[in-house]
Amino acid sequence: MKKLFFIANWKANKNTQEMYSWFISFFSQSFIEYIHAEENTHDKKIIICPPFPILSDASEYLSRYKAKIPVSLGAQTIASIDSGAYTGEVTGHMLEGLVRYVLIGHSERRQLGETDAEIEKKVEQARAHNIEPILCVQSIHTPIPAGTHIVAYEPVESIGTGSPDTPEHANEVAEYFKEEKNILYVLYGGSVSKSNVHNFIKMEYLNGVLVGGASLDPDTFSDIVRKA
Ligand code: PGA
């Protein structure tokens, strides 16, 4: 059975109330039944990445329904340092136990100055705190730090533009990472929608999608999971 990841990257959107509304719509009875029915045929893993301030409310909400809702939380980034006088940073120590995953090296953060050296340290910090890093890469030339098992291929020109890469090219990139870099799972991200998701998911080497804009609406994101 092919493992498929569906990651909702909310970026700098939503406060606690908006998150609860999203959860209530997304985890409808019919969706929960659908996910449980699917378990026998597809291994679909849903990961939601809210902004930092609402992570603990998200975690508490989800743990209340743990048996019913098969979903994990992820952070959108992590500090490259362990602790200390670094105003504003959110460390692996703080995130440990709260999230199972963390996005590292998103192009929007690289554009703000995040370097490959910092990204390598972030992967180390995630690993040291039992958090699985999901490394965002922009091309086959993006360096892959040791300890990376999951990669999300996100070409910059496809993010938020409505112009996704072709599934065939994304598949070639995924094949490269799996064959040449020993990556276990490769996802695609960049203008994923309910109408194109299946074309990516059906590709041999792709294991899911990282969704930005289309994950903000619970009905659209649930359609993406169903139509994959
Ligand atoms: P998008 O963003 O789905 O809005 O293109 C994807 C991402 O940045 O992870």
Side-chain angles (χ1 to χ4, degrees):
M1 206 188 305
K2 187 166 150 183
K3 191 163 184 148
L4 297 175
F5 293 85
F6 297 85
I7 307 183
N9 176 13
W10 286 354
K11 307 188 182 183
N13 293 288
K14 298 196 191 296
N15 62 17
T16 305
Q17 285 314 318
E18 290 161 342
M19 175 188 71
Y20 288 145
S21 307
W22 191 98
F23 280 167
I24 289 164
S25 305
F26 185 72
F27 298 114
S28 64
Q29 192 55 32
S30 75
F31 186 74
I32 291 171
E33 281 165 15
Y34 159 80
I35 282 289
H36 287 303
E38 277 280 281
E39 266 165 11
N40 303 325
T41 41
H42 294 102
D43 188 359
K44 289 187 174 175
K45 192 150 194 34
I46 298 169
I47 302 169
I48 301 169
C49 302
F52 284 138
I54 62 175
L55 267 180
S56 17
D57 286 337
S59 166
E60 200 191 297
Y61 181 96
L62 295 174
S63 59
R64 245 184 285 151
Y65 301 96
K66 209 172 185 95
K68 283 207 262 158
I69 302 181
V71 68
S72 303
L73 283 178
Q76 297 176 14
T77 184
I78 187 172
S80 59
I81 44 79
D82 197 41
S83 63
Y86 301 97
T87 303
E89 290 293 338
V90 178
T91 65
H93 177 62
M94 300 169 195
L95 292 169
E96 186 164 5
L98 198 54
V99 297
R100 285 195 52 196
Y101 297 90
V102 59
L103 303 177
I104 295 181
H106 193 286
S107 57
E108 287 158 8
R109 299 204 56 84
R110 293 180 195 256
Q111 277 157 15
L112 293 173
E114 199 165 285
T115 64
D116 287 331
E118 276 168 319
I119 287 166
E120 196 177 318
K121 290 194 187 127
K122 287 176 181 229
V123 170
E124 272 171 31
Q125 284 299 318
R127 283 260 160 259
H129 292 282
N130 301 309
I131 301 168
E132 183 69 42
I134 298 170
L135 184 79
C136 300
V137 303
Q138 291 70 45
S139 76
I140 57 169
H141 304 296
T142 307
I144 308 287
T148 305
H149 303 147
I150 307 178
V151 152
Y153 164 57
E154 298 206 305
V156 176
E157 61 279 8
S158 296
I159 294 183
T161 58
S163 303
D165 199 351
T166 63
E168 293 73 20
H169 182 250
N171 191 49
E172 275 171 33
V173 171
E175 179 181 11
Y176 170 83
F177 282 118
K178 286 187 168 180
E179 303 291 332
E180 305 296 325
K181 303 284 175 183
N182 288 321
I183 296 298
L184 218 47
Y185 303 115
V186 183
L187 325 184
Y188 168 75
S191 300
V192 171
S193 68
K194 58 186 175 186
S195 47
N196 65 26
V197 65
H198 182 67
N199 298 333
F200 289 101
I201 292 295
K202 70 180 186 199
M203 289 289 146
E204 182 179 357
Y205 294 98
L206 285 173
N207 291 94
V209 284
L210 174 48
V211 188
S215 73
L216 294 177
D217 177 66
D219 296 334
T220 308
F221 190 59
S222 121
D223 276 347
I224 286 177
V225 177
R226 287 178 198 250
K227 287 182 194 272

mmCIF file of all heavy atoms in Angstrom, residues 9 11 103 106-108 136 154 158-162 189-192 210-215, ligand 1:
data_model
loop_
_atom_site.group_PDB
_atom_site.id
_atom_site.type_symbol
_atom_site.label_atom_id
_atom_site.label_comp_id
_atom_site.label_asym_id
_atom_site.label_seq_id
_atom_site.Cartn_x
_atom_site.Cartn_y
_atom_site.Cartn_z
ATOM 1 N N ASN A 9 -0.549 23.505 4.951
ATOM 2 C CA ASN A 9 0.369 24.536 5.446
ATOM 3 C C ASN A 9 -0.411 25.848 5.507
ATOM 4 O O ASN A 9 -0.614 26.496 4.487
ATOM 5 C CB ASN A 9 1.570 24.638 4.482
ATOM 6 C CG ASN A 9 2.521 25.749 4.881
ATOM 7 O OD1 ASN A 9 2.443 26.286 5.984
ATOM 8 N ND2 ASN A 9 3.432 26.103 3.974
ATOM 9 N N LYS A 11 0.413 28.640 6.817
ATOM 10 C CA LYS A 11 1.251 29.852 6.768
ATOM 11 C C LYS A 11 0.774 30.847 7.838
ATOM 12 O O LYS A 11 0.336 30.425 8.901
ATOM 13 C CB LYS A 11 1.244 30.433 5.351
ATOM 14 C CG LYS A 11 1.627 29.375 4.298
ATOM 15 C CD LYS A 11 1.833 29.916 2.931
ATOM 16 C CE LYS A 11 2.166 28.782 1.967
ATOM 17 N NZ LYS A 11 2.458 29.239 0.626
ATOM 18 N N LEU A 103 7.967 21.493 9.038
ATOM 19 C CA LEU A 103 8.424 21.914 7.709
ATOM 20 C C LEU A 103 9.726 22.669 7.902
ATOM 21 O O LEU A 103 9.822 23.529 8.785
ATOM 22 C CB LEU A 103 7.413 22.858 7.054
ATOM 23 C CG LEU A 103 5.975 22.361 6.886
ATOM 24 C CD1 LEU A 103 5.102 23.474 6.293
ATOM 25 C CD2 LEU A 103 5.950 21.134 5.979
ATOM 26 N N HIS A 106 11.203 26.057 3.872
ATOM 27 C CA HIS A 106 10.213 26.526 2.893
ATOM 28 C C HIS A 106 10.804 27.724 2.143
ATOM 29 O O HIS A 106 11.504 28.559 2.734
ATOM 30 C CB HIS A 106 8.927 26.919 3.618
ATOM 31 C CG HIS A 106 7.775 27.120 2.674
ATOM 32 N ND1 HIS A 106 7.670 28.219 1.863
ATOM 33 C CD2 HIS A 106 6.712 26.326 2.394
ATOM 34 C CE1 HIS A 106 6.575 28.108 1.123
ATOM 35 N NE2 HIS A 106 5.979 26.964 1.427
ATOM 36 N N SER A 107 10.483 27.853 0.864
ATOM 37 C CA SER A 107 11.101 28.922 0.061
ATOM 38 C C SER A 107 10.739 30.307 0.599
ATOM 39 O O SER A 107 11.513 31.254 0.454
ATOM 40 C CB SER A 107 10.721 28.794 -1.405
ATOM 41 O OG SER A 107 9.328 28.816 -1.545
ATOM 42 N N GLU A 108 9.545 30.420 1.227
ATOM 43 C CA GLU A 108 9.180 31.731 1.782
ATOM 44 C C GLU A 108 10.104 32.105 2.937
ATOM 45 O O GLU A 108 10.341 33.283 3.185
ATOM 46 C CB GLU A 108 7.706 31.710 2.230
ATOM 47 C CG GLU A 108 6.774 31.721 1.023
ATOM 48 C CD GLU A 108 5.379 31.189 1.292
ATOM 49 O OE1 GLU A 108 5.032 30.931 2.452
ATOM 50 O OE2 GLU A 108 4.633 31.014 0.306
ATOM 51 N N CYS A 136 11.645 21.152 2.622
ATOM 52 C CA CYS A 136 11.141 21.731 1.378
ATOM 53 C C CYS A 136 12.330 22.023 0.464
ATOM 54 O O CYS A 136 13.264 22.718 0.876
ATOM 55 C CB CYS A 136 10.371 23.014 1.651
ATOM 56 S SG CYS A 136 8.957 22.777 2.732
ATOM 57 N N GLU A 154 8.968 21.742 -4.065
ATOM 58 C CA GLU A 154 8.092 22.893 -4.288
ATOM 59 C C GLU A 154 8.799 23.933 -5.157
ATOM 60 O O GLU A 154 9.497 24.818 -4.623
ATOM 61 C CB GLU A 154 7.731 23.542 -2.949
ATOM 62 C CG GLU A 154 6.961 22.649 -2.012
ATOM 63 C CD GLU A 154 6.113 23.483 -1.059
ATOM 64 O OE1 GLU A 154 6.671 24.348 -0.373
ATOM 65 O OE2 GLU A 154 4.911 23.277 -1.034
ATOM 66 N N SER A 158 5.772 27.903 -8.762
ATOM 67 C CA SER A 158 4.448 27.279 -8.671
ATOM 68 C C SER A 158 3.724 27.597 -7.373
ATOM 69 O O SER A 158 2.564 27.241 -7.199
ATOM 70 C CB SER A 158 4.580 25.748 -8.780
ATOM 71 O OG SER A 158 5.076 25.407 -10.045
ATOM 72 N N ILE A 159 4.415 28.249 -6.435
ATOM 73 C CA ILE A 159 3.797 28.480 -5.123
ATOM 74 C C ILE A 159 2.873 29.689 -5.171
ATOM 75 O O ILE A 159 3.303 30.804 -5.460
ATOM 76 C CB ILE A 159 4.883 28.643 -4.032
ATOM 77 C CG1 ILE A 159 5.622 27.311 -3.879
ATOM 78 C CG2 ILE A 159 4.253 29.075 -2.709
ATOM 79 C CD1 ILE A 159 6.654 27.279 -2.812
ATOM 80 N N GLY A 160 1.613 29.407 -4.921
ATOM 81 C CA GLY A 160 0.614 30.475 -4.853
ATOM 82 C C GLY A 160 0.325 31.157 -6.177
ATOM 83 O O GLY A 160 -0.256 32.240 -6.209
ATOM 84 N N THR A 161 0.721 30.557 -7.284
ATOM 85 C CA THR A 161 0.568 31.221 -8.584
ATOM 86 C C THR A 161 -0.540 30.632 -9.441
ATOM 87 O O THR A 161 -0.902 31.206 -10.468
ATOM 88 C CB THR A 161 1.877 31.109 -9.395
ATOM 89 O OG1 THR A 161 2.183 29.709 -9.549
ATOM 90 C CG2 THR A 161 3.030 31.802 -8.704
ATOM 91 N N GLY A 162 -1.036 29.468 -9.052
ATOM 92 C CA GLY A 162 -2.025 28.803 -9.903
ATOM 93 C C GLY A 162 -1.379 28.101 -11.091
ATOM 94 O O GLY A 162 -2.071 27.629 -11.998
ATOM 95 N N GLY A 189 4.469 20.114 -3.902
ATOM 96 C CA GLY A 189 3.719 21.279 -3.449
ATOM 97 C C GLY A 189 3.849 22.422 -4.431
ATOM 98 O O GLY A 189 4.887 22.588 -5.084
ATOM 99 N N GLY A 190 2.792 23.222 -4.540
ATOM 100 C CA GLY A 190 2.772 24.375 -5.457
ATOM 101 C C GLY A 190 1.503 24.362 -6.273
ATOM 102 O O GLY A 190 1.389 23.592 -7.225
ATOM 103 N N SER A 191 0.504 25.182 -5.844
ATOM 104 C CA SER A 191 -0.771 25.302 -6.563
ATOM 105 C C SER A 191 -1.502 23.965 -6.717
ATOM 106 O O SER A 191 -2.112 23.698 -7.758
ATOM 107 C CB SER A 191 -0.559 25.962 -7.933
ATOM 108 O OG SER A 191 -0.020 27.251 -7.763
ATOM 109 N N VAL A 192 -1.441 23.153 -5.674
ATOM 110 C CA VAL A 192 -2.233 21.914 -5.680
ATOM 111 C C VAL A 192 -3.695 22.293 -5.436
ATOM 112 O O VAL A 192 -4.004 23.151 -4.599
ATOM 113 C CB VAL A 192 -1.748 20.937 -4.580
ATOM 114 C CG1 VAL A 192 -2.698 19.753 -4.452
ATOM 115 C CG2 VAL A 192 -0.331 20.455 -4.898
ATOM 116 N N LEU A 210 1.779 18.892 -0.524
ATOM 117 C CA LEU A 210 1.874 19.953 0.485
ATOM 118 C C LEU A 210 1.044 21.110 -0.057
ATOM 119 O O LEU A 210 1.327 21.641 -1.137
ATOM 120 C CB LEU A 210 3.347 20.346 0.672
ATOM 121 C CG LEU A 210 3.705 21.520 1.577
ATOM 122 C CD1 LEU A 210 3.004 21.449 2.916
ATOM 123 C CD2 LEU A 210 5.201 21.563 1.803
ATOM 124 N N VAL A 211 -0.015 21.454 0.691
ATOM 125 C CA VAL A 211 -1.020 22.380 0.155
ATOM 126 C C VAL A 211 -1.033 23.670 0.965
ATOM 127 O O VAL A 211 -1.173 23.628 2.194
ATOM 128 C CB VAL A 211 -2.423 21.721 0.213
ATOM 129 C CG1 VAL A 211 -3.436 22.593 -0.518
ATOM 130 C CG2 VAL A 211 -2.383 20.319 -0.385
ATOM 131 N N GLY A 212 -0.902 24.797 0.311
ATOM 132 C CA GLY A 212 -0.964 26.090 0.988
ATOM 133 C C GLY A 212 -2.361 26.676 0.875
ATOM 134 O O GLY A 212 -3.272 26.318 1.628
ATOM 135 N N GLY A 213 -2.561 27.550 -0.104
ATOM 136 C CA GLY A 213 -3.823 28.287 -0.256
ATOM 137 C C GLY A 213 -5.063 27.408 -0.189
ATOM 138 O O GLY A 213 -6.038 27.748 0.499
ATOM 139 N N ALA A 214 -5.038 26.277 -0.861
ATOM 140 C CA ALA A 214 -6.238 25.430 -0.936
ATOM 141 C C ALA A 214 -6.493 24.659 0.358
ATOM 142 O O ALA A 214 -7.492 23.958 0.466
ATOM 143 C CB ALA A 214 -6.120 24.460 -2.125
ATOM 144 N N SER A 215 -5.597 24.810 1.353
ATOM 145 C CA SER A 215 -5.857 24.117 2.623
ATOM 146 C C SER A 215 -6.588 25.025 3.607
ATOM 147 O O SER A 215 -6.994 24.589 4.678
ATOM 148 C CB SER A 215 -4.545 23.635 3.263
ATOM 149 O OG SER A 215 -3.819 24.727 3.803
HETATM 150 P P1 PGA B 1 0.240 26.878 -2.506
HETATM 151 O O1 PGA B 1 1.447 26.835 -1.474
HETATM 152 O O2 PGA B 1 -0.498 25.576 -2.392
HETATM 153 O O3 PGA B 1 -0.589 28.061 -2.067
HETATM 154 O O4 PGA B 1 0.820 27.073 -3.871
HETATM 155 C C1 PGA B 1 2.175 25.654 -1.259
HETATM 156 C C2 PGA B 1 3.247 25.904 -0.228
HETATM 157 O O5 PGA B 1 3.808 27.015 -0.189
HETATM 158 O O6 PGA B 1 3.550 25.031 0.593
#
